[in-house]
Every structure is written in structure tokens, then in C-alpha cells.
Amino acid sequence: MIINQLTIHEAHELLKARQLSSVELTKACLERINQTEPKVHALVTITEELALKQAEKADQLIAKGDAHPLTGIPAIIKDNMCTRGIPTTCSSKMLQNFIPPYDATVVEKLNGCGAVIMGKSNMDEFAMGSSTEHSAFFPTHNPWDPSRVPGGSSGGSAVAVAADETIYALGSDTGGSIRQPAGFCSVTGMKPTYGRVSRYGLVAFASSLDQIGPLTKDVTDCAIVLNAIAGYDNRDSTSVPEPTPDYTQCLTTDLKGLAIGVPKEYFVQGMQKEVETAMRAAINRLEELGAKVDWKVSLPSTPYALAAYYIIAPSEASANLARYDGVKYGFSYTDTDSMWEALEKTRQFGFGDEVKRRIMLGTYALSAGYYDAWYLKAQKVRTLIRREFDQAFEKYDVLVTPTSPTLPFRIGEKLDDPLQMYLSDVCTLPINIAGLPAISIPAGFGDGLPIGMQLIGKPFGEEAILKVAYAYEQATEWHKRRAGI
Amino acid sequence: MKLSREEVLHIARLARLGLTESEVDRFSEQLSHLLENFEVLQQVDTTDVPPTAQSIPLQNVTKDDEVAASLPPGQILANAPRKEGEYFRVKAVLE
């Protein structure tokens, strides 16, 4: 048994039976981190001392018979979620020295379960990107082939899980930032419904799209982490006061009577052959498991989602990132007497290329004379996209698509072509536009590289997608393969 | 759809974002290319379609006006690049 490869539920059973201690488990993960970090660069901060202290405390809780499923289990947090006393950089020069005075709600909740926080993961700066190459510090490498990207923006979290540096991780997803790296790294990643998980303490990128979710080694673990982080929080006024079910209760393998739709627009031009082949096989498998599959669903506004997203998200980003003025926290340019020059240079030197590009794009779309033609138009298209999903969910319980149209691409390949980079989110961003829950699970390999399948549910329909994901996972072995790093 | 250098500089000024000469050129080219592709939005018939700002039906979320604990000034100021006593120090606003 290689203990850092355990899932949450496997580790929990061993911890409860006192066959393993949290300190042992944590040390195994820390050792693995030392071994693999030089190759993958998934982490920005490693909190070894804190982790071992939390592990000792967890062992005491377990000894008292007080073990929550996450007690004593090592976790990695994406570096855009505030951790009290631990740097939270968003992989940006702007926040390189920022140490939050408070915990994000999700971090508070994990700590309340007796979690072991081992560090913070690398990301595209301020979560803007699809490859983790836009980190201001260093790119993260895909453990399945270190010359390729792990996806992004939660690339560090996905790699930490895929390389068994941690048992699970948290990521955030604004247009695919949990699901696309989960697909590229062969792990399970879920973006819950908008409003399901509190974003209090998540550094804001695009407030109407951002959502926090789990990256795990299997579907059961995903349900366990979702149980711990979901729920209403009065500090996030977009969190929804809906009851939270026990998500582990829906994990059954019988899909009889379930209606699954395949929206044909997601089998897009430019889709790689390997991805298409794997997807068709995976969907056939769902049919064999008892689901009724309709291959001819149409969501006709899908081709406009990319443009709508890349107007809406940068617009919101340009407003959210106006707060970085070098006064209250963060990088500050002081070598001038002029307030305006200090402000402009703080932002010039503090932000990287992609962040600047999006601020520019958003500022343009919101500026006088262009607002109606771009921002308002995109918001109207957003309505159409959501309506089409609502109509589809009158007939189908779950929709299924590839997570990304391509296999993980080479580092550097799309860095100079923003549009090509944006296209890697083409299958995931419509789900954020509509605010729906979706999960990416391992669904095959092409040329030895991972392929993800995306399952989409109706609002607050996490249980249906977890159920289909679980049934598929139990019938396949993809999630058990390990990157040979 | 072509963004001129002047337009790029105007947007940068609105965003209070300093740009180097080469960034102005590069953004002029890249943003033009992106917007050209995003022009497909204009093909969509959105007559009588209301805009969606966010995807959940919540509106006007209010809270009771209750006194609650807040962080002490020392912690709030701990990340300040420049401070003086219990204040953030800023450059002169009026010259």
C-alpha cells in the first residue's frame, strides 16, 4: 500500500481502525511533495509545520472517536482562497506578500472538520487562464507528460491530486478552471451550482460565474468534500439558502430509467479524434449501464457562448480588479510623487500579461458607447443559453459532453494566441454562464494522455451527476491509473 | 473591428493601467483579433430578450442591522504598503 495514493474514504477507514495515523499519512504526502515538486511545480506554498501540527491534533480527535470523514486527511488549497496567516498570492506579483487576516468560509469549514492543510497550489494569475502558464511564478507541469500543461486555472490543485502529493484539493471554477484541469490530469473535479458553496474569502475574478469545488481521486471523495463545503453562508449574499443533502447517499450504480442527453453542438469543429472516440465509447457505456441516451439534443446558442463569456468575465474582472491600487494591501509602486502615476505603475508592474489583457477587454466592453453593443448584448445571449439548458432539463436528467475538445497541449503552444487558449474552455464555460453544476471524470486516454467526460446537471442537481459519475467510475478503471512520475 | 493605438491608450487610462509602448502595439493587435471573433454575438436575435446578470433567482438580499465583531485595525493595516498610526498613507490627492 502506498499511503499517499489512498482516497479520502480509504484513508478514513484506516484512520478510524487505527491502522494508520494522520501524522503518518501527512508525512507520506509531504515526502511525495519533496520528490515530485521539482518535476511538476504544483505548489506555491508548503505549510509543513502547520500540517504536522494539525495531523497531531487530528490523531487526538480520532483517538477520542470523534472522526469526521475529513479528519486528519491532507488537503491542498488553491492560492486564491484566503488562509489566515498563510500567504494567499493568486500566483500574482500583486499579492506576492499578502497574508490574509481571515479564513475563507471553505477553509474554515475544512478546519472545523479537522483537516490537514499542507499548502497552497499554483494557478493562472487571478484564475485567468486555461494552462497554469499565466502564473507569475512558474508554470505547472502535467504529471502524465511534463512537457504538457495540466490545464488551468486550478492546474496546481489538479496536479497535486494526480501526482498523489495530496489526498484531495480545492479549486475554483469561473469558466472551467476545476473541470478542464481535472480532465487534463485524470482526476475528478466538480463545479457545484452557482450559490451552492460560499465564496466568502475567495479572491473575486468574475463574481457572477466564480464557484469553489473539489478535486479528488474518485467520485465518492468528491461527494464527501462537497458535503463539507456546501451550504448557506450569510457572508456571501449569493449563497443560496437551499437545504444540503448528504451527497454520498446518491452514489448507486443502477442508471435504469435515467435520461441522458448529448448536445451535438459540443462535438465541435477542432475536436481531436482521440477525444471524440473516447467520448463515444464512454457514452455507449452509460447506455449499457441502463441509461436512456439521446444523441440528438440541440442547444443552438452554444456557438455564441465563448464570445458571451469572454465579454462578461473580463467585464466583471475589470471591475473586481479595480481594488488593486497599492494602498490597502499588495504591491505598491512608490517611486513618484504623483498619485495617478503611482496607481498606473502599481497596476503595470503588479499584473501580468493575461490579467492586463482581460482588464483591457472588460474595460472596453463596459465603456461609454460600447456597453450596449458588447456587455448588454452578451448578457442577453446569456439568457438564451440558460433558457436552452432549462428546456433540455425538462426532458433529460443529465447532459454529457467532453470536458475539453483537445488532449493536454504542449507548454508554450498557445501562450501567444489568446483565442486558441480561450477555445480550450469551449465545452465548460457555457455551464458557468448558466450557473449549473457539472463534474469532470476520467473517461479514457489518447496517446497516453488523459481525457475527461463532463456531466451537467440542473440547478442544485448535484446528486444526479454524482450518481451517473459514480456508476461510470465503478464500471471502469480509468480513475485507478497513476501517472508514472 | 480594429482598435487603434489611441483607443487602446484611452481604455488603459480608464482602467488606470500603465502600458509600455510594445504592450500598446500588442494589445491593439490582440484585442482587435479577439473582438473580431466576438462579433458573432451581433448575429444573435435578442429582440425582447432580457439580460441576465447572474443565474440564481435571489434579489435584494438584506440582513438585520446588528453590531458584530470586526477585525482589529492592527490586522487590517498589517498588509498596508504604507501606513501612519492607524491610517493608510496615500499620495497627495490634491496638488
Side-chain angles (χ1 to χ4, degrees):
Chain A
M1 179 176 70
I2 302 171
I3 60 179
N4 54 297
Q5 290 188 355
L6 293 171
T7 62
I8 295 171
H9 53 99
E10 289 164 351
H12 176 64
E13 289 308 318
L14 293 170
L15 287 170
K16 253 192 353 194
R18 316 300 306 276
Q19 289 168 11
L20 175 70
S21 74
S22 173
V23 169
E24 287 170 314
L25 179 60
T26 304
K27 281 185 174 162
C29 289
L30 288 167
E31 209 169 288
R32 178 70 177 165
I33 287 173
N34 283 333
Q35 187 185 34
T36 45
E37 266 308 285
K39 294 177 213 160
V40 294
H41 304 289
L43 306 179
V44 171
T45 303
I46 300 164
T47 53
E48 181 169 347
E49 211 177 304
L50 169 79
L52 289 170
K53 218 183 281 169
Q54 286 182 321
E56 278 172 31
K57 230 169 91 190
D59 281 330
Q60 288 163 13
L61 281 173
I62 295 162
K64 275 194 289 181
D66 240 0
H68 178 278
L70 292 180
T71 307
I73 311 279
I76 291 287
I77 312 290
K78 187 177 181 180
D79 211 19
N80 59 350
M81 293 173 223
C82 285
T83 39
R84 188 157 54 95
I86 302 166
T88 297
T89 69
C90 286
S91 292
S92 177
K93 278 187 194 150
M94 191 60 95
L95 291 176
Q96 194 160 10
N97 300 310
F98 176 64
I99 299 177
Y102 65 96
D103 278 326
T105 295
V106 289
V107 173
E108 206 177 85
K109 285 189 166 195
L110 292 188
N111 281 331
C113 298
V116 173
I117 311 265
M118 296 195 303
K120 306 292 292 286
S121 61
N122 196 26
M123 52 188 278
D124 286 295
E125 183 178 1
F126 283 103
M128 298 177 194
S130 314
S131 68
T132 318
E133 290 169 288
H134 289 301
S135 163
F137 307 141
F138 41 76
T140 296
H141 297 250
N142 193 316
W144 295 91
D145 175 355
S147 72
R148 292 177 188 269
V149 304
S153 66
S154 311
S157 284
V159 169
V161 176
D164 295 304
E165 291 182 349
T166 181
I167 308 301
Y168 72 101
L170 292 185
S172 70
D173 188 316
T174 304
S177 282
I178 290 173
R179 291 159 287 154
Q180 186 253 20
F184 275 12
C185 294
S186 202
V187 301
T188 297
M190 179 194 258
K191 180 200 93 72
T193 310
Y194 185 75
R196 178 88 281 181
V197 177
S198 168
R199 291 104 43 90
Y200 177 73
L202 170 72
V203 177
F205 158 16
S207 302
S208 83
L209 306 162
D210 298 340
Q211 184 56 242
I212 293 171
L215 290 125
T216 57
K217 295 178 190 181
D218 69 13
V219 177
T220 306
D221 281 7
C222 179
I224 292 169
V225 179
L226 187 61
N227 274 350
I229 62 174
Y232 174 69
D233 174 17
N234 69 4
R235 293 174 297 185
D236 173 2
S237 29
T238 59
S239 89
V240 172
E242 290 269 331
T244 312
D246 176 354
Y247 291 106
T248 59
Q249 292 302 306
C250 60
L251 306 178
T252 56
T253 52
D254 183 8
L255 298 185
K256 236 170 248 128
L258 212 95
I260 294 181
V262 186
K264 59 178 195 225
E265 289 83 3
Y266 283 73
F267 287 73
V268 289
Q269 248 184 343
M271 181 179 212
Q272 264 174 270
K273 196 88 206 121
E274 293 89 338
V275 176
E276 187 173 347
T277 309
M279 283 312 303
R280 292 194 184 279
I283 296 168
N284 285 334
R285 199 66 200 254
L286 295 176
E287 212 159 19
E288 286 162 26
L289 292 166
K292 221 168 70 205
V293 176
D294 183 349
W295 289 83
K296 295 213 173 84
V297 181
S298 178
L299 302 169
S301 296
T302 304
Y304 307 106
L306 184 96
Y309 177 87
Y310 277 100
I311 295 297
I312 291 168
S315 294
E316 295 184 15
S318 76
N320 272 327
L321 272 61
R323 74 190 64 182
Y324 300 99
D325 56 7
V327 173
K328 299 181 292 301
Y329 46 77
F331 172 77
S332 186
Y333 181 87
T334 52
D335 200 15
T336 170
D337 289 330
S338 155
M339 180 192 73
W340 293 117
E341 194 190 345
L343 183 51
E344 289 186 355
K345 293 230 160 103
T346 291
R347 294 162 65 77
Q348 174 171 359
F349 300 133
F351 290 138
D353 217 38
E354 182 61 23
V355 174
K356 287 180 192 171
R357 197 153 37 234
R358 298 213 194 178
I359 289 175
M360 294 288 289
L361 195 54
T363 304
Y364 171 78
L366 292 174
S367 67
Y370 299 103
Y371 180 93
D372 284 4
W374 290 105
Y375 183 65
L376 197 64
K377 185 77 182 180
Q379 284 192 314
K380 289 178 178 173
V381 173
R382 183 175 192 176
T383 306
L384 295 175
I385 291 166
R386 172 61 188 257
R387 276 183 191 166
E388 289 170 9
F389 275 116
D390 286 345
Q391 280 161 11
F393 282 119
E394 285 171 15
K395 277 178 79 180
Y396 310 101
D397 299 299
V398 167
L399 298 174
V400 56
T401 76
T403 303
S404 176
T406 70
L407 296 167
F409 45 90
R410 290 197 184 280
I411 290 180
E413 190 180 323
K414 300 188 179 183
L415 210 46
D416 296 325
D417 189 343
L419 188 65
Q420 283 309 311
M421 187 71 92
Y422 296 172
L423 279 165
S424 48
D425 294 332
V426 73
C427 299
T428 47
L429 56 83
I431 285 73
N432 299 72
I433 289 181
L436 306 171
I439 190 170
S440 175
I441 54 169
F445 288 81
D447 278 344
L449 297 167
I451 295 168
M453 169 163 68
Q454 174 174 248
L455 301 162
I456 309 162
K458 58 185 84 165
F460 301 98
E462 280 84 0
E463 288 165 289
I465 55 175
L466 282 167
K467 182 186 160 98
V468 178
Y470 182 75
Y472 179 80
E473 175 191 273
Q474 293 304 304
T476 54
E477 299 277 316
W478 308 120
H479 66 291
K480 291 188 177 155
R481 280 206 204 174
R482 282 289 180 277
I485 193 157
Chain B
M1 190 72 234
K2 176 84 189 133
L3 280 189
S4 65
R5 283 182 57 87
E6 288 65 38
E7 283 170 300
V8 169
L9 286 167
H10 172 66
I11 301 162
R13 188 166 167 71
L14 290 175
R16 295 288 170 196
L17 186 60
L19 296 179
T20 63
E21 280 301 301
S22 71
E23 281 176 326
V24 174
D25 288 334
R26 194 149 40 87
F27 284 148
S28 158
E29 191 195 314
Q30 289 178 338
L31 297 176
S32 300
H33 178 61
L34 289 171
L35 289 167
E36 252 166 50
N37 280 277
F38 298 165
E39 263 177 5
V40 290
L41 284 177
Q42 311 308 328
Q43 298 167 7
V44 186
D45 181 5
T46 51
T47 321
D48 298 327
V49 177
T52 294
Q54 48 90 356
S55 53
I56 43 174
L58 290 178
Q59 266 178 5
N60 298 332
V61 177
T62 57
K63 276 191 225 180
D64 291 333
D65 188 12
E66 285 169 352
V67 177
S70 54
L71 290 168
Q75 283 190 33
I76 295 291
L77 286 161
N79 281 290
R82 302 198 307 154
K83 59 197 158 195
E84 203 171 301
E86 290 204 334
Y87 299 95
F88 295 104
R89 194 176 165 84
V90 297
K91 306 266 178 206
V93 177
L94 299 172
E95 285 162 7

